Amino acid sequence: MLRRLAIFAALLTTAGTTGVVLSAPAYAVDHVICVNNPVGVTCDQSFAFLGTAVNAADSNGMDDTIVLGPGTYSDGPYSLKEVGFHEALIGSGQGATFLTLPAGVMQIYLNVYNSTVRDLTVLMNGTTSTGDVGLDATTSMIESVTVDGSNTSSATGVFLDGSSISASTVDMARSSASFTTGINHLATGSVTDTTITASSAYYHSISGTTATLSRLKIYGAFAGITDMAGSVAVDDTLIDLGTTPEGAGLAAINDNNANGSKSIAADHVTVLGGGKFSVGAGAYARAPGALEHASITLTNSVIAGPETSLYVEATNDGAQGANSTATITTSYSDWSTSKVVQGPNGTAGIASGAGHLDVDPGFVDAAGGDYGLAASSPLIDMGAPGTGAPTQDLAGGTRVLDGNGDGAAVRDMGAYEAPAKAVQAAPVTSVTPDTTAPSTTITAHPGKRTAKRRVTFGFSSNESSVTFQCRIDKQAWGACASPKRVRVTRGWHVFRVRARDGAGNLDATPATWRFKRV
């Protein structure tokens, strides 16, 4: 018993050359196999080569933990797949233990079943990488692992089949010409606190299953998160599409005539970048020979950069017995443009709920890659009221804070929560109440007759520190900022705007502009 406790303690504290502290395994340490003399570990068996150790673990009829010393291992590929037993592969740190292979044809570097993999790097060879997979995990747990395929093409970093990955990095070639996939996720599982870089960063593709994604940094080209079947729930995540044309940040899509539903629920997600024809969130049910249903729910989120913020498309060939449907529903989110394509036998629509903003997010330093919210950001405290999950932002900080110092903690929009601001105590002085309402002026507007589908209004007030409310025709008043872009149909329209000052006085005579789209 004392010997087993010593082994367990060594696994908890050994970090190799990187200083990483290993977390406790969720299984009993029954048989420890050492490779290349890991420091501080008591071993039941020792081998010079990882391939020999894996073969021993796969055939001994026991739960095994293989502990690797620092170094590069290249005698694979490696497969931990002993049925009925749990196996673990633990390195000395992502910067100390490397698994690699010589160039080969369609090879899987590390294949695991019912296993735990932790604290190592899979280094993929880019010489002939088409069809290669860095890590293929079935019903397994992956933690603190790096898959480096940054010089590959037509390769996949990680396959997850009923598995989860956390605190990891999947770094594949990002260019549109590389055709790489970061994570291909089958069935149920989670991806948390992980950075994914690839041409197409993340796929989920099994009907009737749900994948849970949280606190991710995704750097894609063609796609950020794609759900081809089943459902994906993602929160507190940053998706950067770069400048690739036709990229999609969130896409519920399957064009392979596969019947069924696909849905994405996105909460506190920020989508950036995108070249020509790019889409922030797209729901597609357009396969001609299938009855498809695609939906996206966008809450507390920001789409800033893609050419079209929201896109829905639905159609089929009429032989499917019903309409295919594509819908996007938003609330308390910042986005600007949308497009609905409804073909034959399709029902498509976008529902914009409460709290919609169309403003510049006001990032701290977008050019420098800091997408936190500046103190002046109009997104601070503008998320959904309440304190429901998630409770952490992308940086791991507390999610619901009082970011504007008004004494009420309300969540922000986007992946990051702004720091709490101290409530300013009111000065103890005699102040004459402000009872004078501000006046509002429209400073820029379309002509009385215009052919444009999207028109822009500018406006100002005679008072500083005011907020504005806008409405078009008989729609409800809503918060807005100058300039305000409005999409209009043909016919006559009336745009109104009114200012409210800091004392709560509201302009009773809104500025008005009547025009006709011809």
Side-chain angles (χ1 to χ4, degrees), residues 396-418:
T398 301
R399 168 48 74 183
V400 184
L401 298 173
D402 178 11
N404 60 10
D406 66 355
V410 181
R411 66 184 66 248
D412 302 339
M413 294 182 184
Y416 294 97
E417 184 84 358

Side-chain angles (χ1 to χ4, degrees), residues 46-404:
S46 295
F47 294 98
F49 299 102
L50 176 55
T52 308
V54 169
N55 290 337
D58 280 347
S59 60
N60 62 12
M62 291 186 286
D63 292 340
D64 293 289
T65 297
I66 302 174
V67 186
L68 305 178
T72 298
Y73 301 84
S74 59
D75 59 332
Y78 310 104
S79 180
L80 294 170
K81 304 187 73 172
E82 186 174 16
V83 177
F85 297 93
H86 185 279
E87 297 180 286
L89 181 63
I90 301 175
S92 294
Q94 290 159 278
T97 300
F98 300 89
L99 275 57
T100 191
L101 291 175
V105 179
M106 297 184 67
Q107 53 192 357
I108 301 174
Y109 286 64
L110 176 60
N111 193 351
V112 298
Y113 170 80
N114 192 31
S115 300
T116 297
V117 180
R118 192 167 68 236
D119 297 297
L120 54 82
T121 291
V122 177
L123 186 59
M124 300 179 69
N125 191 317
T127 304
T128 55
S129 57
T130 298
D132 284 0
V133 177
L135 171 60
D136 190 334
T138 302
T139 59
S140 296
M141 296 291 297
I142 313 301
E143 180 184 358
S144 300
V145 167
T146 294
V147 176
D148 184 352
S150 56
N151 61 346
T152 63
S153 62
S154 301
T156 298
V158 177
F159 266 108
L160 297 177
D161 187 352
S163 300
S164 296
I165 186 170
S166 64
S168 295
T169 299
V170 181
D171 186 15
M172 307 297 289
R174 186 184 182 187
S175 71
S176 57
S178 67
F179 297 104
T180 59
T181 299
I183 295 178
N184 193 331
H185 202 167
L186 308 178
T188 299
S190 63
V191 183
T192 57
D193 299 303
T194 291
T195 298
I196 309 169
T197 302
S199 178
S200 296
Y202 174 90
Y203 277 93
H204 178 256
S205 56
I206 296 294
S207 296
T209 66
T210 299
T212 303
L213 316 181
S214 188
R215 296 184 301 278
L216 308 183
K217 292 182 180 180
I218 292 177
Y219 301 96
F222 288 129
I225 294 173
T226 303
D227 183 40
M228 301 182 69
S231 59
V232 172
V234 54
D235 66 71
D236 299 282
T237 289
L238 178 75
I239 301 174
D240 186 346
L241 294 173
T243 59
T244 301
E246 301 184 9
L250 300 166
I253 182 172
N254 189 334
D255 286 337
N256 295 326
N257 284 337
N259 291 325
S261 300
K262 43 204 163 287
S263 64
I264 299 174
D267 190 7
H268 290 294
V269 172
T270 298
V271 181
L272 307 164
K276 192 172 181 59
F277 306 122
S278 59
V279 171
Y284 306 83
R286 64 190 183 189
L291 180 61
E292 294 190 322
H293 305 287
S295 63
I296 296 177
T297 302
L298 200 67
T299 309
N300 302 310
S301 294
V302 178
I303 297 180
E307 185 175 281
T308 302
S309 301
L310 311 178
Y311 182 98
V312 291
E313 181 177 355
T315 188
N316 67 48
D317 61 9
Q320 308 309 314
N323 281 7
S324 294
T325 63
T327 59
I328 295 179
T329 303
T330 76
S331 62
Y332 296 97
S333 294
D334 179 28
W335 54 272
S336 58
T337 60
S338 62
K339 185 174 183 179
V340 177
V341 178
Q342 184 169 287
N345 311 297
T347 302
I350 295 172
S352 178
H356 173 217
L357 293 180
D358 179 4
V359 296
D360 186 317
F363 296 127
V364 172
D365 182 11
D370 187 344
Y371 298 105
L373 301 181
S376 59
S377 169
L379 306 186
I380 292 176
D381 284 14
M382 294 300 291
T387 57
T391 59
Q392 289 183 310
D393 71 353
L394 177 54
T398 301
R399 168 48 74 183
V400 184
L401 298 173
D402 178 11
N404 60 10

